[in-house]
Amino acid sequence: SAFLRRLWRGDASPRMLHPRLQKAMRAYLSANKHGVRFRGRRAAGRSRAELLCALRGRVRVRTLDGTEPPFSALGWRALVPAVPLGQLHPRGLRSCAVVTSAGAILNSSLGEEIDSHDAVLRFNSAPTRGYEKDVGNKTTVRIINSQILTNPSHHFIDNSLYKDVILVAWDPAPYSANLNLWYQKPDYNLFTPYVQYRRRNPEQPFYILHPKFIWQLWDIIQENTEEKIQPNPPSSGFIGILLMMTLCREVHVYEYIPSVRQTELCHYHELYRDAACTLGAYHPLLYEKLLVQRLNTGARGDLRRKGKVVLPGLRAARC
Ligand code: C5P
């Protein structure tokens, strides 16, 4: 489609989206449910090298470490993993894959290529069993939102999907990142199941992202976008991409920017159809994708045919 070609080139605009999506975006802008107040300065028009250096200078992965209230008084220092997320692979990983859950990955035959990476990141409840040919079967890290921990349908506590992997959970907190407010009123109460899971599986690396990290990523998207973006946290996809850019020398992202297989099918493992899954309504997803497109160092043909973007790791960036 014309829209897709413009997204591949990096000049797509939300004004090209279905009026229903545009209306939803406007509603989120005026609701400003998380109390966002952007205080940064716009820096649109950065080159790829400038963008990369801005990211390297700013992006600091942070997880709850139990040193701040209210968690300090709740004994979370002893509850969280002793080894920080950034030090699980002290020398860094070489090549990593980020596999989004988009329906467009069906019939891609990317499974073998995905599994050839040193580490593979997947999202939420996305399965591999039955889809190996298209998505592979290796999982190193799984990013899960707070609904996965709290919605009984996911059987979080005993589902094997969440075992033998590094787990990274997150929940939308207020933009102020006031941990007391967040603890009292999370979007979904992930704290109770987190404590329960940590006690049962103390050896498994399992972290909760610090709200400051989530909103720092939001600030970076807004800073590099001329328009006002939705005042809601970035998608798990964007969070995962930036996490892997800090851990890996090279990151291959699959079906984030859609290939020619683009479809309204939300997830490859469900029948639900909604264009908002790919283009965004709640999350500033289209703006995230435009930013990632600007960082792409991969081949144009790989973007169209595989839906693949190749990003350099932040450690290697020469600034
Ligand atoms: O829907 P879910 O958040 O589990 O999907 C994981 C991530 O994959 C999303 O946060 C989004 O970044 C990406 N995604 C996408 N297009 C889709 C479905 C998911 O870009 N159709």
Side-chain angles (χ1 to χ4, degrees), residues 24-60:
M25 287 172 67
R26 281 194 301 272
Y28 284 120
L29 261 173
S30 56
N32 193 11
K33 146 167 205 214
H34 306 289
V36 171
R37 255 189 69 202
F38 180 61
R39 294 185 195 81
R41 200 184 288 159
R42 295 265 164 62
R46 278 174 170 150
S47 68
R48 180 163 68 214
E50 288 167 342
L51 258 180
L52 210 56
C53 286
L55 290 174
R56 184 191 154 111
R58 295 268 297 285
V59 176
R60 294 284 173 271

PDB file of all heavy atoms in Angstrom, residues 24-60:
ATOM      1  N   ALA A  24      -9.207   8.082  18.029  1.00  0.00           N
ATOM      2  CA  ALA A  24      -8.744   7.470  19.276  1.00  0.00           C
ATOM      3  C   ALA A  24      -7.471   8.170  19.765  1.00  0.00           C
ATOM      4  O   ALA A  24      -7.324   8.455  20.964  1.00  0.00           O
ATOM      5  CB  ALA A  24      -8.492   5.977  19.059  1.00  0.00           C
ATOM      6  N   MET A  25      -6.560   8.478  18.843  1.00  0.00           N
ATOM      7  CA  MET A  25      -5.318   9.168  19.228  1.00  0.00           C
ATOM      8  C   MET A  25      -5.624  10.521  19.867  1.00  0.00           C
ATOM      9  O   MET A  25      -5.035  10.886  20.892  1.00  0.00           O
ATOM     10  CB  MET A  25      -4.426   9.379  17.995  1.00  0.00           C
ATOM     11  CG  MET A  25      -3.764   8.106  17.501  1.00  0.00           C
ATOM     12  SD  MET A  25      -2.904   8.327  15.925  1.00  0.00           S
ATOM     13  CE  MET A  25      -1.587   9.419  16.409  1.00  0.00           C
ATOM     14  N   ARG A  26      -6.558  11.256  19.267  1.00  0.00           N
ATOM     15  CA  ARG A  26      -6.919  12.575  19.817  1.00  0.00           C
ATOM     16  C   ARG A  26      -7.529  12.441  21.207  1.00  0.00           C
ATOM     17  O   ARG A  26      -7.267  13.249  22.092  1.00  0.00           O
ATOM     18  CB  ARG A  26      -7.883  13.301  18.870  1.00  0.00           C
ATOM     19  CG  ARG A  26      -7.178  13.953  17.675  1.00  0.00           C
ATOM     20  CD  ARG A  26      -8.099  14.945  16.961  1.00  0.00           C
ATOM     21  NE  ARG A  26      -9.313  14.326  16.458  1.00  0.00           N
ATOM     22  CZ  ARG A  26      -9.437  13.742  15.257  1.00  0.00           C
ATOM     23  NH1 ARG A  26      -8.397  13.710  14.448  1.00  0.00           N
ATOM     24  NH2 ARG A  26     -10.574  13.204  14.876  1.00  0.00           N
ATOM     25  N   ALA A  27      -8.344  11.398  21.392  1.00  0.00           N
ATOM     26  CA  ALA A  27      -8.974  11.194  22.703  1.00  0.00           C
ATOM     27  C   ALA A  27      -7.912  10.926  23.771  1.00  0.00           C
ATOM     28  O   ALA A  27      -7.984  11.457  24.883  1.00  0.00           O
ATOM     29  CB  ALA A  27      -9.975  10.051  22.625  1.00  0.00           C
ATOM     30  N   TYR A  28      -6.899  10.126  23.424  1.00  0.00           N
ATOM     31  CA  TYR A  28      -5.825   9.851  24.394  1.00  0.00           C
ATOM     32  C   TYR A  28      -5.040  11.125  24.699  1.00  0.00           C
ATOM     33  O   TYR A  28      -4.631  11.358  25.840  1.00  0.00           O
ATOM     34  CB  TYR A  28      -4.891   8.760  23.874  1.00  0.00           C
ATOM     35  CG  TYR A  28      -5.491   7.381  23.993  1.00  0.00           C
ATOM     36  CD1 TYR A  28      -5.700   6.583  22.872  1.00  0.00           C
ATOM     37  CD2 TYR A  28      -5.864   6.871  25.236  1.00  0.00           C
ATOM     38  CE1 TYR A  28      -6.262   5.315  22.976  1.00  0.00           C
ATOM     39  CE2 TYR A  28      -6.427   5.613  25.353  1.00  0.00           C
ATOM     40  CZ  TYR A  28      -6.616   4.836  24.230  1.00  0.00           C
ATOM     41  OH  TYR A  28      -7.168   3.594  24.352  1.00  0.00           O
ATOM     42  N   LEU A  29      -4.845  11.976  23.669  1.00  0.00           N
ATOM     43  CA  LEU A  29      -4.117  13.225  23.870  1.00  0.00           C
ATOM     44  C   LEU A  29      -4.832  14.109  24.890  1.00  0.00           C
ATOM     45  O   LEU A  29      -4.215  14.673  25.795  1.00  0.00           O
ATOM     46  CB  LEU A  29      -4.001  13.983  22.539  1.00  0.00           C
ATOM     47  CG  LEU A  29      -2.687  13.852  21.785  1.00  0.00           C
ATOM     48  CD1 LEU A  29      -2.785  14.517  20.426  1.00  0.00           C
ATOM     49  CD2 LEU A  29      -1.543  14.450  22.593  1.00  0.00           C
ATOM     50  N   SER A  30      -6.149  14.199  24.754  1.00  0.00           N
ATOM     51  CA  SER A  30      -6.848  15.102  25.681  1.00  0.00           C
ATOM     52  C   SER A  30      -7.074  14.455  27.040  1.00  0.00           C
ATOM     53  O   SER A  30      -7.160  15.155  28.039  1.00  0.00           O
ATOM     54  CB  SER A  30      -8.154  15.621  25.060  1.00  0.00           C
ATOM     55  OG  SER A  30      -8.957  14.538  24.689  1.00  0.00           O
ATOM     56  N   ALA A  31      -7.132  13.125  27.106  1.00  0.00           N
ATOM     57  CA  ALA A  31      -7.330  12.474  28.415  1.00  0.00           C
ATOM     58  C   ALA A  31      -6.074  12.595  29.285  1.00  0.00           C
ATOM     59  O   ALA A  31      -6.149  12.813  30.486  1.00  0.00           O
ATOM     60  CB  ALA A  31      -7.701  11.009  28.227  1.00  0.00           C
ATOM     61  N   ASN A  32      -4.919  12.471  28.686  1.00  0.00           N
ATOM     62  CA  ASN A  32      -3.627  12.520  29.400  1.00  0.00           C
ATOM     63  C   ASN A  32      -3.692  11.817  30.754  1.00  0.00           C
ATOM     64  O   ASN A  32      -3.393  12.386  31.806  1.00  0.00           O
ATOM     65  CB  ASN A  32      -3.160  13.965  29.569  1.00  0.00           C
ATOM     66  CG  ASN A  32      -1.705  14.051  30.019  1.00  0.00           C
ATOM     67  OD1 ASN A  32      -0.986  13.039  29.999  1.00  0.00           O
ATOM     68  ND2 ASN A  32      -1.264  15.220  30.423  1.00  0.00           N
ATOM     69  N   LYS A  33      -4.057  10.567  30.675  1.00  0.00           N
ATOM     70  CA  LYS A  33      -4.351   9.755  31.858  1.00  0.00           C
ATOM     71  C   LYS A  33      -3.175   9.592  32.815  1.00  0.00           C
ATOM     72  O   LYS A  33      -3.351   9.385  34.006  1.00  0.00           O
ATOM     73  CB  LYS A  33      -4.872   8.429  31.283  1.00  0.00           C
ATOM     74  CG  LYS A  33      -4.576   7.177  31.993  1.00  0.00           C
ATOM     75  CD  LYS A  33      -5.400   6.007  31.486  1.00  0.00           C
ATOM     76  CE  LYS A  33      -5.451   5.042  32.649  1.00  0.00           C
ATOM     77  NZ  LYS A  33      -5.453   3.653  32.231  1.00  0.00           N
ATOM     78  N   HIS A  34      -1.942   9.694  32.314  1.00  0.00           N
ATOM     79  CA  HIS A  34      -0.788   9.467  33.183  1.00  0.00           C
ATOM     80  C   HIS A  34      -0.133  10.777  33.654  1.00  0.00           C
ATOM     81  O   HIS A  34       0.929  10.747  34.262  1.00  0.00           O
ATOM     82  CB  HIS A  34       0.234   8.577  32.477  1.00  0.00           C
ATOM     83  CG  HIS A  34      -0.358   7.284  31.987  1.00  0.00           C
ATOM     84  ND1 HIS A  34      -0.733   6.270  32.833  1.00  0.00           N
ATOM     85  CD2 HIS A  34      -0.712   6.882  30.745  1.00  0.00           C
ATOM     86  CE1 HIS A  34      -1.265   5.266  32.133  1.00  0.00           C
ATOM     87  NE2 HIS A  34      -1.267   5.625  30.863  1.00  0.00           N
ATOM     88  N   GLY A  35      -0.796  11.914  33.334  1.00  0.00           N
ATOM     89  CA  GLY A  35      -0.284  13.205  33.799  1.00  0.00           C
ATOM     90  C   GLY A  35       1.051  13.583  33.178  1.00  0.00           C
ATOM     91  O   GLY A  35       1.943  14.110  33.856  1.00  0.00           O
ATOM     92  N   VAL A  36       1.185  13.356  31.874  1.00  0.00           N
ATOM     93  CA  VAL A  36       2.455  13.657  31.200  1.00  0.00           C
ATOM     94  C   VAL A  36       2.629  15.165  31.024  1.00  0.00           C
ATOM     95  O   VAL A  36       1.702  15.867  30.634  1.00  0.00           O
ATOM     96  CB  VAL A  36       2.491  12.961  29.814  1.00  0.00           C
ATOM     97  CG1 VAL A  36       3.696  13.435  29.017  1.00  0.00           C
ATOM     98  CG2 VAL A  36       2.501  11.451  29.981  1.00  0.00           C
ATOM     99  N   ARG A  37       3.811  15.659  31.374  1.00  0.00           N
ATOM    100  CA  ARG A  37       4.183  17.050  31.065  1.00  0.00           C
ATOM    101  C   ARG A  37       5.571  17.039  30.460  1.00  0.00           C
ATOM    102  O   ARG A  37       6.565  16.897  31.172  1.00  0.00           O
ATOM    103  CB  ARG A  37       4.176  17.878  32.357  1.00  0.00           C
ATOM    104  CG  ARG A  37       2.948  18.805  32.450  1.00  0.00           C
ATOM    105  CD  ARG A  37       3.100  19.749  33.619  1.00  0.00           C
ATOM    106  NE  ARG A  37       4.165  20.744  33.395  1.00  0.00           N
ATOM    107  CZ  ARG A  37       4.770  21.388  34.380  1.00  0.00           C
ATOM    108  NH1 ARG A  37       4.471  21.128  35.631  1.00  0.00           N
ATOM    109  NH2 ARG A  37       5.691  22.290  34.109  1.00  0.00           N
ATOM    110  N   PHE A  38       5.617  17.189  29.167  1.00  0.00           N
ATOM    111  CA  PHE A  38       6.909  17.142  28.467  1.00  0.00           C
ATOM    112  C   PHE A  38       7.678  18.432  28.725  1.00  0.00           C
ATOM    113  O   PHE A  38       7.202  19.519  28.435  1.00  0.00           O
ATOM    114  CB  PHE A  38       6.666  16.946  26.967  1.00  0.00           C
ATOM    115  CG  PHE A  38       7.922  16.878  26.154  1.00  0.00           C
ATOM    116  CD1 PHE A  38       8.862  15.882  26.381  1.00  0.00           C
ATOM    117  CD2 PHE A  38       8.165  17.816  25.145  1.00  0.00           C
ATOM    118  CE1 PHE A  38      10.027  15.819  25.619  1.00  0.00           C
ATOM    119  CE2 PHE A  38       9.328  17.747  24.383  1.00  0.00           C
ATOM    120  CZ  PHE A  38      10.246  16.758  24.622  1.00  0.00           C
ATOM    121  N   ARG A  39       8.862  18.278  29.296  1.00  0.00           N
ATOM    122  CA  ARG A  39       9.669  19.466  29.608  1.00  0.00           C
ATOM    123  C   ARG A  39      10.929  19.517  28.755  1.00  0.00           C
ATOM    124  O   ARG A  39      11.729  20.432  28.882  1.00  0.00           O
ATOM    125  CB  ARG A  39      10.069  19.472  31.088  1.00  0.00           C
ATOM    126  CG  ARG A  39       8.888  19.627  32.034  1.00  0.00           C
ATOM    127  CD  ARG A  39       9.386  19.743  33.477  1.00  0.00           C
ATOM    128  NE  ARG A  39       8.311  19.531  34.440  1.00  0.00           N
ATOM    129  CZ  ARG A  39       7.870  18.343  34.807  1.00  0.00           C
ATOM    130  NH1 ARG A  39       8.399  17.234  34.292  1.00  0.00           N
ATOM    131  NH2 ARG A  39       6.890  18.245  35.687  1.00  0.00           N
ATOM    132  N   GLY A  40      11.105  18.523  27.909  1.00  0.00           N
ATOM    133  CA  GLY A  40      12.310  18.492  27.089  1.00  0.00           C
ATOM    134  C   GLY A  40      12.215  19.468  25.939  1.00  0.00           C
ATOM    135  O   GLY A  40      11.243  20.208  25.807  1.00  0.00           O
ATOM    136  N   ARG A  41      13.222  19.469  25.121  1.00  0.00           N
ATOM    137  CA  ARG A  41      13.241  20.335  23.953  1.00  0.00           C
ATOM    138  C   ARG A  41      13.202  19.471  22.698  1.00  0.00           C
ATOM    139  O   ARG A  41      13.867  18.450  22.627  1.00  0.00           O
ATOM    140  CB  ARG A  41      14.511  21.177  23.976  1.00  0.00           C
ATOM    141  CG  ARG A  41      14.369  22.406  23.086  1.00  0.00           C
ATOM    142  CD  ARG A  41      15.650  23.190  23.032  1.00  0.00           C
ATOM    143  NE  ARG A  41      15.917  23.901  24.297  1.00  0.00           N
ATOM    144  CZ  ARG A  41      17.140  24.311  24.646  1.00  0.00           C
ATOM    145  NH1 ARG A  41      18.167  24.061  23.891  1.00  0.00           N
ATOM    146  NH2 ARG A  41      17.313  24.965  25.771  1.00  0.00           N
ATOM    147  N   ARG A  42      12.412  19.864  21.729  1.00  0.00           N
ATOM    148  CA  ARG A  42      12.314  19.115  20.478  1.00  0.00           C
ATOM    149  C   ARG A  42      13.637  19.180  19.733  1.00  0.00           C
ATOM    150  O   ARG A  42      14.272  20.235  19.684  1.00  0.00           O
ATOM    151  CB  ARG A  42      11.214  19.702  19.588  1.00  0.00           C
ATOM    152  CG  ARG A  42       9.835  19.574  20.154  1.00  0.00           C
ATOM    153  CD  ARG A  42       9.147  18.322  19.591  1.00  0.00           C
ATOM    154  NE  ARG A  42       7.958  17.938  20.371  1.00  0.00           N
ATOM    155  CZ  ARG A  42       6.869  18.678  20.522  1.00  0.00           C
ATOM    156  NH1 ARG A  42       6.811  19.860  19.996  1.00  0.00           N
ATOM    157  NH2 ARG A  42       5.852  18.235  21.202  1.00  0.00           N
ATOM    158  N   ALA A  43      14.045  18.062  19.186  1.00  0.00           N
ATOM    159  CA  ALA A  43      15.282  18.029  18.401  1.00  0.00           C
ATOM    160  C   ALA A  43      15.024  17.222  17.143  1.00  0.00           C
ATOM    161  O   ALA A  43      15.699  16.247  16.873  1.00  0.00           O
ATOM    162  CB  ALA A  43      16.411  17.427  19.223  1.00  0.00           C
ATOM    163  N   ALA A  44      14.008  17.623  16.415  1.00  0.00           N
ATOM    164  CA  ALA A  44      13.661  16.894  15.199  1.00  0.00           C
ATOM    165  C   ALA A  44      14.779  17.046  14.170  1.00  0.00           C
ATOM    166  O   ALA A  44      15.573  17.987  14.249  1.00  0.00           O
ATOM    167  CB  ALA A  44      12.334  17.393  14.658  1.00  0.00           C
ATOM    168  N   GLY A  45      14.854  16.127  13.238  1.00  0.00           N
ATOM    169  CA  GLY A  45      15.799  16.251  12.140  1.00  0.00           C
ATOM    170  C   GLY A  45      17.202  15.763  12.449  1.00  0.00           C
ATOM    171  O   GLY A  45      18.143  16.053  11.718  1.00  0.00           O
ATOM    172  N   ARG A  46      17.371  15.033  13.548  1.00  0.00           N
ATOM    173  CA  ARG A  46      18.691  14.465  13.833  1.00  0.00           C
ATOM    174  C   ARG A  46      19.047  13.398  12.799  1.00  0.00           C
ATOM    175  O   ARG A  46      18.176  12.648  12.360  1.00  0.00           O
ATOM    176  CB  ARG A  46      18.694  13.804  15.210  1.00  0.00           C
ATOM    177  CG  ARG A  46      18.909  14.767  16.364  1.00  0.00           C
ATOM    178  CD  ARG A  46      18.748  14.028  17.673  1.00  0.00           C
ATOM    179  NE  ARG A  46      19.171  14.836  18.810  1.00  0.00           N
ATOM    180  CZ  ARG A  46      18.642  14.733  20.030  1.00  0.00           C
ATOM    181  NH1 ARG A  46      17.679  13.854  20.259  1.00  0.00           N
ATOM    182  NH2 ARG A  46      19.077  15.480  21.016  1.00  0.00           N
ATOM    183  N   SER A  47      20.305  13.304  12.450  1.00  0.00           N
ATOM    184  CA  SER A  47      20.782  12.232  11.566  1.00  0.00           C
ATOM    185  C   SER A  47      20.800  10.929  12.358  1.00  0.00           C
ATOM    186  O   SER A  47      20.665  10.941  13.582  1.00  0.00           O
ATOM    187  CB  SER A  47      22.192  12.545  11.075  1.00  0.00           C
ATOM    188  OG  SER A  47      23.089  12.466  12.174  1.00  0.00           O
ATOM    189  N   ARG A  48      21.015   9.806  11.649  1.00  0.00           N
ATOM    190  CA  ARG A  48      21.063   8.524  12.348  1.00  0.00           C
ATOM    191  C   ARG A  48      22.167   8.515  13.413  1.00  0.00           C
ATOM    192  O   ARG A  48      21.963   8.074  14.537  1.00  0.00           O
ATOM    193  CB  ARG A  48      21.285   7.374  11.353  1.00  0.00           C
ATOM    194  CG  ARG A  48      21.351   6.021  12.068  1.00  0.00           C
ATOM    195  CD  ARG A  48      21.152   4.889  11.114  1.00  0.00           C
ATOM    196  NE  ARG A  48      22.264   4.783  10.209  1.00  0.00           N
ATOM    197  CZ  ARG A  48      22.173   4.403   8.945  1.00  0.00           C
ATOM    198  NH1 ARG A  48      21.007   4.097   8.438  1.00  0.00           N
ATOM    199  NH2 ARG A  48      23.238   4.315   8.188  1.00  0.00           N
ATOM    200  N   ALA A  49      23.346   9.031  13.050  1.00  0.00           N
ATOM    201  CA  ALA A  49      24.472   9.030  13.993  1.00  0.00           C
ATOM    202  C   ALA A  49      24.156   9.897  15.209  1.00  0.00           C
ATOM    203  O   ALA A  49      24.463   9.526  16.352  1.00  0.00           O
ATOM    204  CB  ALA A  49      25.734   9.526  13.291  1.00  0.00           C
ATOM    205  N   GLU A  50      23.523  11.049  14.966  1.00  0.00           N
ATOM    206  CA  GLU A  50      23.176  11.941  16.090  1.00  0.00           C
ATOM    207  C   GLU A  50      22.138  11.298  17.003  1.00  0.00           C
ATOM    208  O   GLU A  50      22.219  11.384  18.225  1.00  0.00           O
ATOM    209  CB  GLU A  50      22.627  13.272  15.558  1.00  0.00           C
ATOM    210  CG  GLU A  50      23.687  14.153  14.933  1.00  0.00           C
ATOM    211  CD  GLU A  50      23.097  15.321  14.140  1.00  0.00           C
ATOM    212  OE1 GLU A  50      21.901  15.273  13.775  1.00  0.00           O
ATOM    213  OE2 GLU A  50      23.849  16.272  13.870  1.00  0.00           O
ATOM    214  N   LEU A  51      21.153  10.637  16.356  1.00  0.00           N
ATOM    215  CA  LEU A  51      20.119   9.942  17.133  1.00  0.00           C
ATOM    216  C   LEU A  51      20.731   8.880  18.025  1.00  0.00           C
ATOM    217  O   LEU A  51      20.405   8.759  19.205  1.00  0.00           O
ATOM    218  CB  LEU A  51      19.156   9.243  16.174  1.00  0.00           C
ATOM    219  CG  LEU A  51      17.812   9.886  15.893  1.00  0.00           C
ATOM    220  CD1 LEU A  51      17.023   9.018  14.928  1.00  0.00           C
ATOM    221  CD2 LEU A  51      17.056  10.078  17.191  1.00  0.00           C
ATOM    222  N   LEU A  52      21.617   8.093  17.423  1.00  0.00           N
ATOM    223  CA  LEU A  52      22.253   6.988  18.135  1.00  0.00           C
ATOM    224  C   LEU A  52      23.039   7.513  19.340  1.00  0.00           C
ATOM    225  O   LEU A  52      22.987   6.929  20.429  1.00  0.00           O
ATOM    226  CB  LEU A  52      23.177   6.269  17.156  1.00  0.00           C
ATOM    227  CG  LEU A  52      23.402   4.793  17.355  1.00  0.00           C
ATOM    228  CD1 LEU A  52      22.089   4.031  17.353  1.00  0.00           C
ATOM    229  CD2 LEU A  52      24.306   4.256  16.257  1.00  0.00           C
ATOM    230  N   CYS A  53      23.726   8.615  19.155  1.00  0.00           N
ATOM    231  CA  CYS A  53      24.503   9.183  20.258  1.00  0.00           C
ATOM    232  C   CYS A  53      23.589   9.746  21.327  1.00  0.00           C
ATOM    233  O   CYS A  53      23.895   9.644  22.524  1.00  0.00           O
ATOM    234  CB  CYS A  53      25.460  10.247  19.735  1.00  0.00           C
ATOM    235  SG  CYS A  53      26.842   9.498  18.859  1.00  0.00           S
ATOM    236  N   ALA A  54      22.459  10.345  20.895  1.00  0.00           N
ATOM    237  CA  ALA A  54      21.494  10.841  21.878  1.00  0.00           C
ATOM    238  C   ALA A  54      20.967   9.676  22.711  1.00  0.00           C
ATOM    239  O   ALA A  54      20.846   9.776  23.932  1.00  0.00           O
ATOM    240  CB  ALA A  54      20.358  11.576  21.174  1.00  0.00           C
ATOM    241  N   LEU A  55      20.698   8.557  22.053  1.00  0.00           N
ATOM    242  CA  LEU A  55      20.208   7.379  22.777  1.00  0.00           C
ATOM    243  C   LEU A  55      21.271   6.861  23.735  1.00  0.00           C
ATOM    244  O   LEU A  55      21.011   6.570  24.894  1.00  0.00           O
ATOM    245  CB  LEU A  55      19.808   6.272  21.797  1.00  0.00           C
ATOM    246  CG  LEU A  55      18.552   6.512  20.952  1.00  0.00           C
ATOM    247  CD1 LEU A  55      18.370   5.395  19.935  1.00  0.00           C
ATOM    248  CD2 LEU A  55      17.320   6.621  21.829  1.00  0.00           C
ATOM    249  N   ARG A  56      22.489   6.752  23.230  1.00  0.00           N
ATOM    250  CA  ARG A  56      23.570   6.242  24.060  1.00  0.00           C
ATOM    251  C   ARG A  56      23.787   7.097  25.305  1.00  0.00           C
ATOM    252  O   ARG A  56      24.045   6.601  26.397  1.00  0.00           O
ATOM    253  CB  ARG A  56      24.866   6.185  23.229  1.00  0.00           C
ATOM    254  CG  ARG A  56      26.010   5.568  23.987  1.00  0.00           C
ATOM    255  CD  ARG A  56      27.326   5.768  23.264  1.00  0.00           C
ATOM    256  NE  ARG A  56      28.387   5.744  24.240  1.00  0.00           N
ATOM    257  CZ  ARG A  56      29.277   4.769  24.339  1.00  0.00           C
ATOM    258  NH1 ARG A  56      29.258   3.774  23.488  1.00  0.00           N
ATOM    259  NH2 ARG A  56      30.199   4.793  25.261  1.00  0.00           N
ATOM    260  N   GLY A  57      23.645   8.393  25.141  1.00  0.00           N
ATOM    261  CA  GLY A  57      23.849   9.308  26.265  1.00  0.00           C
ATOM    262  C   GLY A  57      22.720   9.261  27.284  1.00  0.00           C
ATOM    263  O   GLY A  57      22.908   9.633  28.435  1.00  0.00           O
ATOM    264  N   ARG A  58      21.551   8.856  26.838  1.00  0.00           N
ATOM    265  CA  ARG A  58      20.378   8.996  27.707  1.00  0.00           C
ATOM    266  C   ARG A  58      19.813   7.690  28.235  1.00  0.00           C
ATOM    267  O   ARG A  58      19.347   7.630  29.371  1.00  0.00           O
ATOM    268  CB  ARG A  58      19.260   9.693  26.913  1.00  0.00           C
ATOM    269  CG  ARG A  58      19.561  11.109  26.516  1.00  0.00           C
ATOM    270  CD  ARG A  58      19.064  12.092  27.554  1.00  0.00           C
ATOM    271  NE  ARG A  58      17.604  12.024  27.670  1.00  0.00           N
ATOM    272  CZ  ARG A  58      16.755  12.532  26.793  1.00  0.00           C
ATOM    273  NH1 ARG A  58      17.216  13.150  25.728  1.00  0.00           N
ATOM    274  NH2 ARG A  58      15.460  12.431  26.973  1.00  0.00           N
ATOM    275  N   VAL A  59      19.771   6.652  27.394  1.00  0.00           N
ATOM    276  CA  VAL A  59      19.028   5.455  27.777  1.00  0.00           C
ATOM    277  C   VAL A  59      19.763   4.682  28.869  1.00  0.00           C
ATOM    278  O   VAL A  59      20.881   4.216  28.677  1.00  0.00           O
ATOM    279  CB  VAL A  59      18.785   4.532  26.552  1.00  0.00           C
ATOM    280  CG1 VAL A  59      18.098   3.247  26.980  1.00  0.00           C
ATOM    281  CG2 VAL A  59      17.950   5.257  25.505  1.00  0.00           C
ATOM    282  N   ARG A  60      19.151   4.645  30.052  1.00  0.00           N
ATOM    283  CA  ARG A  60      19.714   3.877  31.168  1.00  0.00           C
ATOM    284  C   ARG A  60      18.651   2.891  31.612  1.00  0.00           C
ATOM    285  O   ARG A  60      17.647   3.299  32.207  1.00  0.00           O
ATOM    286  CB  ARG A  60      20.045   4.809  32.341  1.00  0.00           C
ATOM    287  CG  ARG A  60      21.159   5.809  32.053  1.00  0.00           C
ATOM    288  CD  ARG A  60      22.547   5.165  32.085  1.00  0.00           C
ATOM    289  NE  ARG A  60      23.574   6.104  31.652  1.00  0.00           N
ATOM    290  CZ  ARG A  60      23.958   6.273  30.375  1.00  0.00           C
ATOM    291  NH1 ARG A  60      23.392   5.583  29.416  1.00  0.00           N
ATOM    292  NH2 ARG A  60      24.895   7.147  30.062  1.00  0.00           N
TER     293      ARG A  60
END
